């Protein structure tokens, strides 16, 4: 079967790899000059199934109001007359209940755990390297209230069979020795020992080469103008390099999937939520993290990637905006200096932003649509790297007519009808 994939980020490339593995003739197109040059380029770096959770949850609306006046807010809403933004926010608020949070988190942990296992299989089968480490993730709590609030996450982790360790401040330091310098700031932690870290951009490029060796064609610097329909099915994709035809079509274009879907009459509830990162060389290794430390107060992840540190965070609802405000950089620098003083010089860091494609309920949209030969694999939000291999595996099964190894019925766009 001939399959055309739009988008060559981590979701598009993993989808292409697994579809080719199943014997399909796959072509991937992307407007960039190579793979992984947008949202996959400099994300936070952690592969965290246990930390897979929706942003929408109990108490978020109240905290969002408080964050609006905070010096280093983890969530920022920029007001604008954008109907898509307000429709998305209304749906987001509708998911801020305890019941919806538990349902959505279970879906996300299910997919993310499956994805981590598929990544391990891929690593064993191919030897793919991407500055990976398998030393777990530490969610760091600065207040007793945060420790107490983690009980709801622990309950979901336990029900999903995800290993976790509730840590005292001293145990946090045993897990991440460099935190000994700021022990007085720690109230406790939640460690997920099976989580991993790695450079997503390095992974995407390495897997793209493996996919190409399997026969996948990659056509870069190719912009999609429109998706054409005929008789209730996609007949072609009109691009800057001409018209492209296949038997089946898959959208993995992140936030841009929404506009492409709208062009064929589909309402895809995916909206860009901007994130930022700093990448800085390690200065003093003994003061740097060993793996990933998630600062619960600022929702910032600090990850060791070989001889570099990646600091990633902030969720800014601002549409398709790629600007790099200094005040957002200041938040990331503050977290790095506050938790790991002397580990690196933030002034030498590379500052970056990316648009995370987020759904209101946090779960990605994976599966068929009402258009016979059009499929979706997008909306992974902050967890595209965490969920990539699992998502690619699931969509390859579905498009091949095979039932996936995990329940995927509640991952499709049908849940929004």
């Amino acid at each position: 079967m001939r399959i055309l994939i739009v988008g060559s980020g981590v979701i598009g490339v993993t989808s292409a790899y697994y579809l080719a593995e199943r014997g399909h003739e796959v072509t991937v197109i992307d407007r960039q000059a190579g793979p992984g040059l947008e949202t996959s380029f400099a994300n936070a770096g952690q592969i965290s199934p246990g930390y897979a959770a929706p942003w929408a949850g109990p108490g978020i609306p109240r905290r969002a109001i408080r964050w609006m006046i905070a010096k280093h807010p983890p969530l920022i809403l920029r007001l604008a007359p954008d109907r898509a933004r307000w429709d998305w926010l209304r749906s987001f608020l509708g998911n801020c209940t305890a019941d919806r949070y538990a349902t959505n988190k279970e879906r996300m942990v299910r997919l993310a755990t499956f994805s981590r296992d598929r990544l391990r299989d891929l690593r064993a089968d191919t030897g793919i390297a991407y500055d990976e480490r398998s030393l777990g993730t530490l969610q760091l709590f600065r207040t007793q209230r945060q420790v107490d609030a983690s009980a709801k996450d622990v309950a979901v982790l336990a029900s999903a069979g995800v290993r976790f360790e509730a840590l005292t401040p001293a145990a946090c330091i045993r897990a991440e020795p460099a935190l000994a310098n700021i022990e007085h700031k720690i109230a406790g932690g939640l460690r997920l020992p099976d989580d991993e870290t790695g450079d997503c951009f390095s992974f995407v490029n390495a897997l793209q080469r493996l996919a190409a060796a399997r026969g996948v064609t990659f056509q870069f610097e190719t912009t999609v103008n429109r998706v054409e329909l005929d008789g209730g099915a996609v007949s072609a994709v009109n691009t800057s390099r001409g018209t492209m035809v296949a038997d089946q079509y898959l959208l993995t274009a992140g936030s841009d999937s929404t506009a492409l879907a709208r062009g064929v009459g589909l309402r895809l509830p995916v909206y860009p939520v901007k994130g930022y990162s700093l990448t800085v060389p390690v200065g003093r290794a003994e003061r740097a993290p060993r793996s990933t430390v998630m600062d619960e107060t600022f929702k910032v992840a600090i990850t060791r990637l070989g001889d570099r540190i990646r600091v990633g965070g902030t969720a800014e609802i601002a549409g398709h905006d790629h600007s790099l405000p200094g005040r957002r950089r200041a938040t990331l620098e503050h977290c790095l200096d506050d938790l790991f003083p002397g580990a690196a010089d933030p002034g030498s860091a590379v500052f970056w932003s990316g648009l995370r494609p987020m759904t209101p309920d946090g779960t990605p949209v994976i599966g068929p649509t009402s258009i016979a030969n059009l499929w979706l694999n997008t909306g992974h939000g902050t967890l595209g790297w965490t969920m990539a291999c699992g998502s690619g595996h699931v969509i390859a099964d579905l498009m091949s007519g095979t039932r996936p190894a995990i329940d995927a019925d509640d991952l499709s766009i049908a849940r929004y009808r």
Side-chain angles (χ1 to χ4, degrees):
M1 183 166 60
R2 295 175 303 161
I3 297 172
L4 179 63
I5 299 176
V6 180
S8 69
V10 69
I11 302 301
V13 173
T14 51
S15 298
Y17 180 85
Y18 287 116
L19 283 164
E21 187 178 60
R22 284 152 179 76
H24 300 295
E25 181 184 331
V26 182
T27 298
V28 182
I29 61 175
D30 195 289
R31 65 188 177 192
Q32 295 289 350
L37 288 173
E38 295 197 20
T39 307
S40 300
F41 183 69
N43 62 21
Q46 75 267 34
I47 300 161
S48 303
Y51 196 69
W55 279 79
I60 287 296
R62 182 179 66 253
R63 277 183 277 171
I65 294 172
R66 185 171 71 249
W67 286 334
M68 290 178 70
I69 58 173
K71 182 178 180 180
H72 298 294
L75 177 65
I76 302 138
L77 170 61
R78 285 171 53 182
L79 303 178
D82 180 348
R83 179 176 177 178
R85 186 178 310 181
W86 294 108
D87 286 347
W88 186 91
L89 284 168
R90 276 192 293 271
S91 185
F92 177 88
L93 291 172
N95 279 280
C96 290
T97 67
D99 287 346
R100 293 303 305 162
Y101 180 87
T103 296
N104 295 332
K105 184 173 176 67
E106 186 281 325
R107 287 173 178 162
M108 296 171 74
V109 171
R110 181 202 320 156
L111 177 60
T113 302
F114 176 68
S115 186
R116 180 203 59 211
D117 294 342
R118 298 293 72 74
L119 175 60
R120 289 175 176 174
D121 291 343
L122 179 69
R123 198 162 61 227
D125 292 343
T126 66
I128 190 170
Y130 45 91
D131 272 337
E132 70 279 0
R133 292 189 177 200
S134 300
L135 297 175
T137 294
L138 174 61
Q139 186 177 4
L140 193 70
F141 305 127
R142 294 174 181 259
T143 68
Q144 187 59 42
R145 177 178 293 182
Q146 291 172 350
V147 174
D148 296 340
S150 68
K152 65 180 185 298
D153 287 333
V154 165
V156 175
L157 293 173
S159 66
V162 177
R163 290 203 305 151
F164 63 88
E165 302 166 356
L167 302 184
T168 63
C172 290
I173 293 168
R174 285 194 293 273
E176 284 286 356
L179 292 173
N181 297 296
I182 54 100
E183 183 175 7
H184 61 287
K185 299 179 182 179
I186 304 173
L190 179 63
R191 183 170 179 266
L192 307 172
D194 293 327
D195 283 5
E196 302 183 3
T197 60
D199 186 331
C200 183
F201 179 67
S202 294
F203 173 84
V204 171
N205 279 267
L207 190 61
Q208 185 261 336
R209 292 190 290 271
L210 291 173
R214 285 185 176 271
V216 177
T217 299
F218 289 86
Q219 189 165 307
F220 298 112
E221 297 182 314
T222 304
T223 301
V224 174
N225 298 322
R226 63 185 177 276
V227 178
E228 299 178 352
L229 292 183
D230 183 17
V234 177
S235 58
V237 172
N238 182 280
T239 78
S240 58
R241 292 179 179 266
T243 298
M244 306 188 71
V245 177
D247 301 311
Q248 301 286 328
Y249 300 82
L250 174 62
L251 295 185
T252 64
S255 301
D256 292 320
S257 299
T258 303
L260 294 172
R262 188 186 307 122
V264 292
L266 291 179
R267 294 187 63 187
L268 177 59
V270 172
Y271 194 81
V273 176
K274 189 178 181 183
Y276 299 89
S277 76
L278 294 175
T279 305
V280 57
V282 172
R284 298 177 62 183
E286 74 278 7
R287 287 183 170 268
R290 297 167 63 242
S291 187
T292 291
V293 174
M294 170 63 74
D295 188 333
E296 177 63 15
T297 298
F298 300 104
K299 304 290 186 183
V300 168
I302 303 174
T303 299
R304 181 72 170 268
L305 297 175
D307 59 359
R308 299 165 295 154
I309 298 173
R310 174 73 49 77
V311 188
T314 307
E316 185 173 356
I317 304 172
H320 292 266
D321 170 52
H322 291 274
S323 62
L324 291 166
R327 59 188 180 280
R328 307 293 175 240
R329 177 173 181 145
T331 296
L332 303 180
E333 291 181 347
H334 168 75
C335 288
L336 177 59
D337 280 343
D338 199 46
L339 293 184
F340 298 100
D345 175 16
S348 64
V350 176
F351 187 32
W352 172 88
S353 71
L355 302 180
R356 311 178 186 108
M358 293 194 74
T359 60
D361 63 9
T363 310
V365 179
I366 305 172
T369 70
S370 57
I371 296 171
N373 58 347
L374 181 63
W375 302 75
L376 298 169
N377 193 1
T378 187
H380 296 74
T382 60
L383 295 164
W385 183 200
T386 293
M387 296 179 173
C389 286
S391 299
H393 208 279
V394 165
I395 198 65
D397 280 342
L398 291 171
M399 294 181 74
S400 301
T402 303
R403 186 162 186 81
I406 60 169
D407 181 12
D409 293 342
D410 55 359
L411 302 181
S412 78
I413 195 173
R415 72 180 187 268
Y416 284 99
R417 292 174 187 161

